[in-house]
Amino acid sequence: MSVSHKLIQLQIGAAVLYRDRPHRIKHILDLSEVLVVDDETQEVSHAKIGELAATFISIEQEAKPDLVAVHDAAWDEATKRFEIIRPLLNTPSRTRQDVIARAKQYQRHENTLYSWIRNYESSGLITSLLPRARSDKGTKKLTPEIEAIIQSVVDSEFLTKQRKSQQKVCDEVRRNCANAGIDPPHKNTVRSRIKELAGEHVMIKRNGRKAADQAYSPIDGSFPGADWPFAVIQIDHTPLDIILVDDVYRRPVGRPWITLAIDVFSRMVAGFYVSFDPPGALSAGQCLANAILPKENWLTKHSIKGDWPCWGIPGKLHMDNAREFRGNMLQRACLEYGVDIEWRPVARPHFGGHIERLLGTFAQEIHTLPGTTFSNSRERGDYDSEGKAALTLTEFEEWLVTFIVNVYHQRVHSGINMPPMEKYRQGVFGTKDSPGRGLPARINDEDRLRLDLMPFEERTVQDYGVVIDEIHYYHDVLRRWINAPNPLAPKYKRKFMFRRDPRDIGTIWFYDPEINAYYPIPYRDTSHPPISVWELREAKRQIEADGRRHVDERAIFDAYERMREIEEQAQAKTISVRRAAQRRKSGQEAIRPTMPVVPVKSESATTQTTIPAIQPFDEMDDLA
């Protein structure tokens, strides 16, 4: 039996595991503490929320496929089911009549909706709503011709300034189908297509941009939908006005970037990620994972006193239109965990005002640190930023978190007239005038969350293993998939999903489509050192600069070793080399998943090695 990927629900009466025994939550004491009662002995215990785990259920009851491996048609059906039950989810006041009314609206049986609700509320995942494979397939689906007719009519009749009714659209679809000799779809099918359209898009087409701005733009001091903690999370990034030093020689390395997430309701910092690399899918995913997951282990590891009881799956993620936020993997991962994505409209910066003000607040505090570059050369004057630089990346992160936890979260915020921590607490527990939302659910399987946000490649399995960027990988778990045919097109070889962390490509993760599980796959030649994607590309450039036309694995690692020798000689001399070394150190110290490892049987070595775990995030193309 395997552990499912369900959420840990933190509500009175919820079933949890505490010290490996089944308990139920009896009272919620604070943002980080509860009273639980043992199901068998009835003994009451005072527990930290971080000590609780989800109850176990069989993986056969709730298998979780890889997000990218799900066919588009199945994914679309799951998202449609989610939209049908969304108003009914996690609602204590939900009645049977509510479910029956919703079922009639969408021509479904109420028992079907109850089944979907039960599956989703136990897991919190869109994949729990995927249609199951059946031997009696035969349900009707719209043909591409009908879909094209509906789309065309909606565009030409509904999304216009004439603002024709939905009934007119249904009539026109029926007329078009009759002319084409095609059986028309039911009018409710056409209406469902219209309901799926984004509200702001419909408003723009039917009423104009000005009306849409009035309806959807946030007014000063508020943001639509941000009515409870984590209802809306804004995320953005910027270079920081400070020069940091390396860990070895404590000499200047350069300015880091920060990706930051803010809870709009409370103004709490939800998560962050600091790196010397420019913004990309990796930083966006790292920041999102940091926002969703609990922080107490990080605080303990770095000996930071204070609480940061901020976690949970956002209702909506609000981002600008930067390329690093547009990756397919990031979007599908958000859908899987029930996170709506809303893009900041182009040329309307006020939509990101909360996160930009937070970045500005941090910038002011950073200007007090040694090594600050200030905002511009006029402010900097004759201050020697490089000469005064003193903090390493780790030390800066510890300073930043200390400021967030013990200063920013505790002092009065002018936008809400109270400290963010107090506002967050009110949103969770309520006030005399408004009820609280309750503690958010916690992710039970943190490793799977990180894997769902990890970069991926699709490859066939050859008799020598798998090759990605001229690097060979192999493990015995691949043996049964060697030269496997594509089940849908047997004359072609089957492609499989492989994920890897760009900061450490020494291990990739193979997704087994039969058991819906990942296996770590090491280098085929386990004597190779772990390297990053950026070091791999630099090694290839060195090979090309040497005039060699053929790039293979041996040439890559020979070039990498030469680069390391040069780096060691120059490490105390140049900023760029020290920055490269610092990036490598940061990658080695990143939080790793604790998923079980598999003994390695390599053809180049007879000894068993333990495969190091790796961590996220989006498509490889974003790393170019």
Side-chain angles (χ1 to χ4, degrees), residues 1 61 129 230 327 431 512 539 572 589:
M1 183 175 292
Q61 293 175 305
L129 302 176
F230 271 54
T431 65
D512 188 313
E589 293 180 350

Side-chain angles (χ1 to χ4, degrees), residues 178-204:
N179 291 342
I182 301 173
D183 290 336
H186 193 277
K187 63 181 181 180
N188 286 348
T189 301
V190 180
R191 293 178 185 274
S192 295
R193 295 295 190 276
I194 294 174
K195 288 181 180 179
E196 292 172 1
L197 298 173
E200 185 175 7
H201 176 67
V202 173
M203 181 73 77
I204 291 172

Side-chain angles (χ1 to χ4, degrees), residues 17-188:
L17 285 180
Y18 174 61
R19 296 181 177 174
D20 296 326
R21 290 183 58 82
H23 286 68
R24 291 191 177 273
I25 296 178
K26 188 173 182 65
H27 294 290
I28 295 174
L29 303 179
D30 204 345
L31 294 172
S32 59
E33 298 177 332
V34 295
L35 288 182
V36 293
V37 57
D38 190 298
D39 284 353
E40 182 179 348
T41 66
Q42 298 300 304
E43 179 183 356
V44 177
S45 301
H46 186 168
K48 295 283 188 181
I49 289 177
E51 298 173 326
L52 306 181
T55 54
F56 294 165
I57 64 174
S58 171
I59 198 68
E60 287 75 23
Q61 293 175 305
E62 189 183 332
K64 183 182 186 306
D66 181 86
L67 300 183
V68 182
V70 177
H71 292 296
D72 289 344
W75 183 263
D76 290 342
E77 176 62 24
T79 56
K80 288 176 184 177
R81 293 177 178 183
F82 175 69
E83 291 304 324
I84 292 174
I85 64 173
R86 185 201 286 261
L88 306 171
L89 294 173
N90 299 311
T91 306
S93 60
R94 181 181 67 223
T95 66
R96 185 170 183 82
Q97 289 305 315
D98 294 333
V99 178
I100 292 175
R102 193 73 174 171
K104 286 183 177 180
Q105 181 180 351
Y106 288 92
Q107 296 184 312
R108 308 276 188 167
H109 195 279
E110 61 265 28
N111 289 347
T112 300
L113 264 65
Y114 271 115
S115 175
W116 295 347
I117 292 169
R118 182 171 60 252
N119 290 343
Y120 186 84
E121 288 188 339
S122 67
S123 68
L125 303 175
I126 288 287
T127 45
S128 66
L129 302 176
L130 287 171
R132 297 183 182 276
R134 296 174 50 133
S135 58
D136 58 343
K137 290 183 180 179
T139 56
K140 286 188 176 181
K141 294 185 178 180
L142 297 186
T143 65
E145 291 79 10
I146 294 179
E147 290 285 7
I149 289 174
I150 294 176
Q151 183 63 52
S152 175
V153 173
V154 169
D155 289 341
S156 63
E157 303 295 325
F158 186 74
L159 297 177
T160 66
K161 295 295 192 296
Q162 287 183 280
R163 301 196 289 276
K164 294 183 180 180
S165 67
Q166 293 187 16
Q167 184 58 50
K168 292 288 185 183
V169 176
C170 296
D171 293 342
E172 186 65 15
V173 168
R174 187 181 302 107
R175 188 183 69 81
N176 276 253
C177 289
N179 291 342
I182 301 173
D183 290 336
H186 193 277
K187 63 181 181 180
N188 286 348

Side-chain angles (χ1 to χ4, degrees), residues 265-268 404-427:
F265 171 82
S266 66
R267 308 305 200 270
M268 289 275 283
I404 291 171
V405 170
N406 296 313
V407 180
Y408 173 76
H409 283 170
Q410 309 301 329
R411 70 188 183 190
V412 175
H413 189 290
S414 61
I416 54 177
N417 296 317
M418 67 180 69
M421 180 65 83
E422 179 59 28
K423 183 70 172 179
Y424 185 80
R425 190 183 300 276
Q426 289 184 5

Side-chain angles (χ1 to χ4, degrees), residues 69 71 458-462 466 480-498 510-516:
H71 292 296
E458 290 184 299
R459 290 290 189 277
T460 58
V461 178
Q462 307 294 328
V466 174
R480 65 183 301 270
W481 298 109
I482 292 175
N483 296 319
N486 186 326
L488 301 179
K491 68 177 182 178
Y492 298 102
K493 291 184 179 180
R494 183 172 186 172
K495 288 188 175 182
F496 297 90
M497 186 69 54
F498 293 89
F510 164 65
Y511 174 72
D512 188 313
E514 285 193 351
I515 62 175
N516 294 325

Side-chain angles (χ1 to χ4, degrees), residues 339-562:
V339 181
D340 290 334
I341 294 181
E342 181 176 274
W343 309 111
R344 186 187 308 176
V346 178
R348 291 154 79 191
H350 62 283
F351 265 75
H354 299 294
I355 186 65
E356 290 179 358
R357 281 194 291 272
L358 179 60
L359 290 169
T361 298
F362 282 10
Q364 292 178 1
E365 297 295 331
I366 289 171
H367 291 170
T368 66
L369 296 176
T372 178
T373 61
F374 295 93
S375 299
N376 52 58
S377 57
R378 182 178 58 82
E379 287 187 17
R380 184 166 62 250
D382 58 359
Y383 180 80
D384 182 6
S385 299
E386 287 193 7
K388 298 292 186 180
L391 296 176
T392 66
L393 179 62
T394 300
E395 291 167 346
F396 173 77
E397 284 185 330
E398 292 175 351
W399 171 88
L400 179 65
V401 172
T402 300
F403 171 74
I404 291 171
V405 170
N406 296 313
V407 180
Y408 173 76
H409 283 170
Q410 309 301 329
R411 70 188 183 190
V412 175
H413 189 290
S414 61
I416 54 177
N417 296 317
M418 67 180 69
M421 180 65 83
E422 179 59 28
K423 183 70 172 179
Y424 185 80
R425 190 183 300 276
Q426 289 184 5
V428 172
F429 295 112
T431 65
K432 63 178 182 180
D433 299 319
S434 60
R437 184 68 175 181
L439 284 173
R442 285 165 65 119
I443 291 288
N444 182 52
D445 193 341
E446 297 184 7
D447 294 332
R448 188 57 188 259
L449 171 70
R450 294 188 176 104
L451 282 167
D452 285 338
L453 289 166
M454 189 179 290
F456 68 91
E457 294 277 3
E458 290 184 299
R459 290 290 189 277
T460 58
V461 178
Q462 307 294 328
D463 53 4
Y464 50 77
V466 174
V467 178
I468 300 178
D469 286 335
E470 286 78 42
I471 307 297
H472 291 69
Y473 299 86
Y474 183 78
H475 189 278
D476 281 347
V477 297
L478 299 175
R479 185 183 299 277
R480 65 183 301 270
W481 298 109
I482 292 175
N483 296 319
N486 186 326
L488 301 179
K491 68 177 182 178
Y492 298 102
K493 291 184 179 180
R494 183 172 186 172
K495 288 188 175 182
F496 297 90
M497 186 69 54
F498 293 89
R499 296 179 181 270
R500 68 176 182 178
D501 184 345
R503 298 165 301 178
D504 180 358
I505 63 173
T507 302
I508 59 176
W509 292 82
F510 164 65
Y511 174 72
D512 188 313
E514 285 193 351
I515 62 175
N516 294 325
Y518 278 98
Y519 292 97
I521 311 298
Y523 291 140
R524 184 183 183 96
D525 182 350
T526 56
S527 65
H528 290 324
I531 64 174
S532 69
V533 165
W534 301 280
E535 289 170 322
L536 171 67
R537 291 174 179 166
E538 181 59 29
K540 288 183 176 181
R541 282 193 286 266
Q542 290 291 336
I543 294 171
E544 294 173 358
D546 291 341
R548 297 183 57 176
R549 295 183 179 180
H550 180 63
V551 178
D552 58 21
E553 183 173 317
R554 179 178 295 277
I556 288 172
F557 282 99
D558 285 346
Y560 173 74
E561 288 302 322
R562 293 197 304 272

